[in-house]
C-alpha cells in the first residue's frame, strides 16, 4: 500500500519561500516518477513540477526559475522548494506518484496521491 504525506505548507508573504516535503511509504520509491500538483479554489488541478526516476525534471512555465523539485531516494522523500512566491501560487499542493513509465505532467497518469497541504501567499 502506497502512502504519500505532504508537509511544509503555510502562510507566507509574497516574495517569501517555502519548502514542501512528501514522505513516501510502500513499494520501492526509486521506481516511481514523482510530481507536485496544485489546485486553487474554483480552478482545475494543475501540474507544478515532476521528477523522473532518473532525476529529469519538468516544470510548469509559471514556476520555472522559482521552484525546484528534488528527490531523496535514500529517505523516500520528494521536495518542492518554492522561492519568490506570488499570491497566485496560493493553492492546495498535492504530491503524486507514477509507477514506472515516462515522467509526465499529466495528472491522470499518476497512480497515488497525498491529501495535500495548503499554501497561502499574502500580498
Amino acid at each position: 500500500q502506497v502512502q504519500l504525506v505532504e508537509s511544509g505548507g503555510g502562510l507566507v508573504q509574497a516574495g517569501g519561500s517555502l519548502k514542501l516535503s512528501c514522505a513516501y511509504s510502500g513499494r520501492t520509491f526509486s521506481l516511481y516518477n514523482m510530481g507536485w500538483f496544485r489546485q486553487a479554489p474554483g480552478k482545475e488541478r494543475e501540474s507544478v513540477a515532476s521528477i523522473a526516476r532518473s532525476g529529469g525534471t519538468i516544470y510548469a512555465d509559471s514556476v520555472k526559475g522559482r521552484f525546484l523539485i528534488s528527490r531523496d531516494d535514500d529517505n523516500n522523500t520528494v521536495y518542492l522548494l518554492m522561492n519568490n512566491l506570488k499570491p497566485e501560487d496560493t493553492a492546495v499542493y498535492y504530491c503524486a506518484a507514477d509507477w514506472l513509465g515516462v515522467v509526465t505532467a499529466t495528472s491522470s497518469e499518476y497512480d497515488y496521491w497525498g491529501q495535500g497541504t495548503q499554501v497561502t501567499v499574502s500580498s
Side-chain angles (χ1 to χ4, degrees):
Q1 182 74 13
V2 172
Q3 288 189 323
L4 302 170
V5 179
E6 302 96 336
S7 62
L11 174 64
V12 64
Q13 289 188 331
S17 298
L18 282 175
K19 186 174 184 178
L20 305 182
S21 300
C22 174
Y24 166 97
S25 61
R27 299 167 75 179
T28 307
F29 177 68
S30 61
L31 295 181
Y32 285 87
N33 300 313
M34 300 297 295
W36 285 98
F37 294 78
R38 67 187 181 187
Q39 188 167 19
K43 295 187 177 181
E44 292 188 353
R45 187 173 297 187
E46 64 176 357
S47 172
V48 176
S50 303
I51 186 165
R53 292 171 285 130
S54 63
T57 56
I58 300 172
Y59 291 94
D61 287 343
S62 60
V63 307
K64 281 181 181 177
R66 299 190 298 123
F67 289 13
L68 179 68
I69 188 171
S70 61
R71 63 188 297 159
D72 181 346
D73 287 358
D74 291 334
N75 290 296
N76 292 354
T77 304
V78 62
Y79 302 98
L80 185 69
L81 175 61
M82 305 184 293
N83 296 317
N84 190 21
L85 282 160
K86 304 176 180 181
E88 51 264 42
D89 295 317
T90 295
V92 177
Y93 283 71
Y94 298 90
C95 171
D98 172 28
W99 169 254
L100 298 178
V102 178
V103 65
T104 177
T106 303
S107 60
S108 60
E109 296 293 322
Y110 285 79
D111 305 298
Y112 301 99
W113 293 81
Q115 293 300 305
T117 185
Q118 177 70 47
V119 172
T120 303
V121 184
S122 62
S123 57

